[in-house]
Amino acid sequence: MDGQADLVQGVLAQGPHERLPGAAGRSWCCGTFLVLRDGKVTYEWYGDGFTADTRMPSWSVARSVVSLLVGQAIERGKLHESDRLVDLLPELRSKDTYDSITVRDLPDMSSGIDVDENHSPWRPFTGTARMMLTGDLRTFVKYHRP
């Protein structure tokens, strides 16, 4: 926890526009930076071209939030880890191994949905970027099976 606190303090001291140390000697930079405390924004910074209204991908943050919501639904008895995806979304039924994907498989990224984790600027409309840009996620998932 001290390392995270030190990182946040460093960002606040020098501004998030500075490149920060990352894994394996690489650095990273962010387009926006928010600090929430007790449910309230206590600090916000937006880089060039970003505002509070700019839509941005959340990547793995979304998986974490969805996992929390799924956990709450399980705790309330609304879902079970063993529930099959095709029982919740019957239109995805395929009569193959895909039909065995459970609620537990989804946040673990072991569902078998075939999406290339591609972040290449040379192939901007494939893999995760294409999934993010689709207006019809159900159809995307239906046609991206292993």
Side-chain angles (χ1 to χ4, degrees):
M1 187 71 165
D2 289 341
Q4 289 176 342
D6 291 343
L7 178 61
V8 170
Q9 287 301 321
V11 169
L12 293 176
Q14 65 188 15
H17 57 282
E18 300 293 331
R19 294 186 85 64
L20 302 170
R26 294 182 299 221
S27 62
W28 58 274
C29 186
C30 57
T32 65
F33 186 78
L34 295 172
V35 176
L36 297 173
R37 182 173 292 140
D38 297 324
K40 295 182 178 156
V41 176
T42 59
Y43 179 85
E44 57 188 297
W45 172 88
Y46 300 96
D48 291 338
F50 296 94
T51 70
D53 296 321
T54 303
R55 291 183 66 187
M56 297 181 63
S58 61
W59 304 112
S60 294
V61 173
R63 186 177 70 238
S64 297
V65 171
V66 169
S67 294
L68 289 169
L69 296 172
V70 166
Q72 288 179 344
I74 290 170
E75 186 175 273
R76 293 179 180 142
K78 303 287 185 186
L79 277 178
H80 298 91
E81 288 185 60
S82 60
D83 288 346
R84 295 181 321 146
L85 178 63
V86 295
D87 292 334
L88 301 169
L89 300 170
E91 66 272 20
L92 298 179
R93 193 174 312 276
S94 65
K95 299 189 186 326
D96 62 22
T97 58
Y98 192 84
D99 288 1
S100 65
I101 295 171
T102 65
V103 167
R104 180 183 179 89
D105 296 324
L106 296 172
D108 290 342
M109 293 182 67
S110 58
S111 66
I113 296 172
D114 186 26
V115 179
D116 181 26
E117 189 74 33
N118 170 41
H119 302 284
S120 168
W122 309 115
R123 294 182 5 188
F125 300 111
T126 62
T128 51
R130 184 172 180 185
M131 181 174 62
M132 186 176 82
L133 293 171
T134 186
D136 184 359
L137 191 55
R138 288 180 183 212
T139 300
F140 181 90
V141 169
K142 182 176 180 179
Y143 291 106
H144 286 82
R145 300 171 188 260

